[in-house]
Amino acid sequence: MAHTPHQSQGGNAFTRFFAHEAAGGIVLAIAAVLALVVSNSGWRQAYEGFTRIQGTVDIGGLVVLSKPLLLWVNDLWMAVFFFLVGLEIKREFVEGELASRKMAILPAAAALGGMVVPAGIYALINLGDSVALRGWAIPAATDIAFAIGIVMLLGSRVPTSLKVFLTAVAIIDDLGAIVVIALFYTDNLSLGMLAGAGVGSLVLLLLNRSGVRRADVYLLVGLVIWVCVLKSGIHATLAGVVTALAIPMRDADEQPLAGALEHGLHPWVAFLVLPMFAFANAGVSLQGMSLGSLFEPIPLGIAAGLVLGKTIGVFGAAWLMVRSGLADAPAGATTRQFVGVCMLCGIGFTMSLFIGGLAFQGLSADFEAKLKLGVLGGSILAGLCGTLVLWRKI
């Protein structure tokens, strides 16, 4: 996720956001480590039993949803995360750091490079294996909570201009991930449910055009869309984005509406939704694995994409934009600092695990283990490399 302040709010909003992200990143890390520890201890069966706890919702027999806890987290809780992402995307493009072409071109190019190059590296390493190639988008993601947590701990070693650049790249990275999920990671489509989701989306548009300024109305329609999307074969989290984009920026009294929702939701996502996702998804048994396991095609493709692909893609695309005169370099930043921040974009974690879960859905546990090994190994290495580069003073 990314979040930058309105000009009118000044440094306070900027400081509040980074405080949330830094603390959220720490909680996220604790949840991931705890999942790894528990899944490699005598509590492993209890952990797996926890993720399989069945939950059922029955609305008068009309809507019956029965899923294990893991899928409730990935389908419903993550829809809340994507709802927040949608609010942030809308704000940034309407009145934030991405509102003008000149401000948006550098992070936009960097984000695109940071998706294309890692995907290309993964595909190259897994060429010839059609099943493994389904995971081409896994290393194309950035986990902003972890990345911002690191730059906050580094303090003045990271110029403010690079923090803004990082958050802007993450906003566009999230948008790219949403498009990738919608286009490439869908099951067999149910045209009836897809039509229902389309009607719901049209209702949201009409509400917006009619000047309806009550958030609860949009959220109710959004819930209906979520059910339709869930049963349509397209991943249900996209309903969160659609709903967020329809919510007006201001209420009937011209007070912030989307911004108020975003502000209220952010701590819940940072300290509950994402840590729960991490705990439910990061657990992987390391039994029978060795350092050599990381060099198998799938984990190697993911790790190489995150560590090398992200750095080359983000920095290379940004450098070309600056070199060509189409964009200005971040103010007050050295090349070393710029490269260090680009390395931190290789911390994939949340989004990488999420996309990987969709890519290898329904396959054996072996694919899940390789996914988690690659994502965790690559993210840790990218974080360490970026931190070392930024820590070093010249």
Side-chain angles (χ1 to χ4, degrees):
M1 286 182 301
H3 186 203
T4 34
H6 303 164
Q7 293 296 326
S8 61
Q9 291 175 316
N12 288 336
F14 194 63
T15 303
R16 281 199 307 271
F17 166 73
F18 280 111
H20 272 311
E21 287 293 352
I26 293 170
V27 175
L28 196 59
I30 292 172
V33 170
L34 184 60
L36 275 172
V37 170
V38 171
S39 60
N40 287 278
S41 70
W43 290 86
R44 175 169 178 75
Q45 287 189 340
Y47 171 78
E48 292 179 346
F50 173 73
T51 62
R52 290 197 296 262
I53 293 174
Q54 201 72 13
T56 302
V57 174
D58 186 344
I59 305 176
L62 294 175
V63 179
V64 180
L65 300 174
S66 185
K67 294 173 174 289
L69 177 67
L70 179 63
L71 291 185
W72 278 113
V73 170
N74 291 354
D75 289 342
L76 180 58
W77 287 42
M78 287 299 282
V80 177
F81 164 70
F82 275 86
F83 176 74
L84 179 60
V85 168
L87 290 173
E88 292 176 341
I89 288 173
K90 180 170 183 173
R91 176 179 44 74
E92 289 300 326
F93 277 100
V94 171
E95 55 188 34
E97 292 293 334
L98 305 175
S100 72
R101 181 180 175 184
K102 183 174 178 58
M103 295 169 72
I105 192 167
L106 183 67
L112 182 60
M115 295 188 76
V116 171
V117 177
I121 289 176
Y122 178 93
L124 189 63
I125 291 174
N126 287 275
L127 209 58
D129 186 339
S130 59
V131 178
L133 280 174
R134 288 164 59 174
W136 62 270
I138 295 170
T142 296
D143 191 309
I144 192 61
F146 274 133
I148 289 300
I150 289 175
V151 299
M152 285 303 295
L153 291 173
L154 290 170
S156 61
R157 285 181 169 84
V158 184
T160 300
S161 63
L162 284 182
K163 293 175 183 175
V164 173
F165 170 79
L166 179 60
T167 54
V169 167
I171 263 278
I172 301 168
D173 189 286
D174 283 342
L175 183 59
I178 290 164
V179 172
V180 166
I181 291 168
L183 294 179
F184 299 102
Y185 294 112
T186 59
D187 299 321
N188 296 325
L189 296 179
S190 165
L191 295 181
M193 285 297 173
L194 200 56
V199 171
S201 300
L202 181 60
V203 170
L204 286 178
L205 179 62
L206 292 174
L207 288 172
N208 183 285
R209 292 296 176 87
S210 300
V212 176
R213 306 289 184 92
R214 288 185 52 179
D216 55 350
V217 176
Y218 289 90
L219 294 176
L220 182 60
V221 176
L223 186 59
V224 174
I225 295 174
W226 178 82
V227 173
C228 291
V229 174
L230 179 69
K231 291 181 171 291
S232 74
I234 296 176
H235 203 271
T237 51
L238 297 177
V241 180
V242 171
T243 305
L245 294 179
I247 292 178
M249 294 298 294
R250 301 192 177 278
D251 63 18
D253 298 320
E254 292 303 314
Q255 296 300 311
L257 178 59
L261 281 172
E262 184 183 341
H263 179 72
L265 200 55
H266 199 280
W268 290 97
V269 170
F271 300 118
L272 180 61
V273 173
L274 291 182
M276 185 61 179
F277 173 85
F279 182 74
N281 285 272
V284 56
S285 175
L286 301 177
Q287 186 177 2
M289 291 187 182
S290 64
L291 187 60
S293 300
L294 189 57
F295 293 92
E296 294 179 15
I298 290 177
L300 179 61
I302 295 171
L306 290 173
V307 178
L308 298 177
K310 275 292 185 180
T311 304
I312 295 169
V314 174
F315 180 78
W319 181 84
L320 286 174
M321 288 296 103
V322 173
R323 190 76 173 175
S324 64
L326 293 174
D328 298 326
T334 66
T335 300
R336 175 183 57 81
Q337 290 170 325
F338 201 177
V339 170
V341 165
C342 292
M343 286 179 170
L344 293 182
C345 290
I347 304 174
F349 197 67
T350 303
M351 269 302 206
S352 291
L353 286 175
F354 186 74
I355 292 174
L358 297 178
F360 299 138
Q361 193 170 29
L363 300 180
S364 69
D366 185 49
F367 283 93
E368 182 183 358
K370 290 176 179 178
L371 159 69
K372 293 177 180 179
L373 185 63
V375 170
L376 294 174
S379 295
I380 291 170
L381 188 56
L384 288 174
C385 289
T387 300
L388 288 174
V389 170
L390 290 166
W391 186 268
R392 180 168 165 255
K393 287 188 175 181
I394 297 177

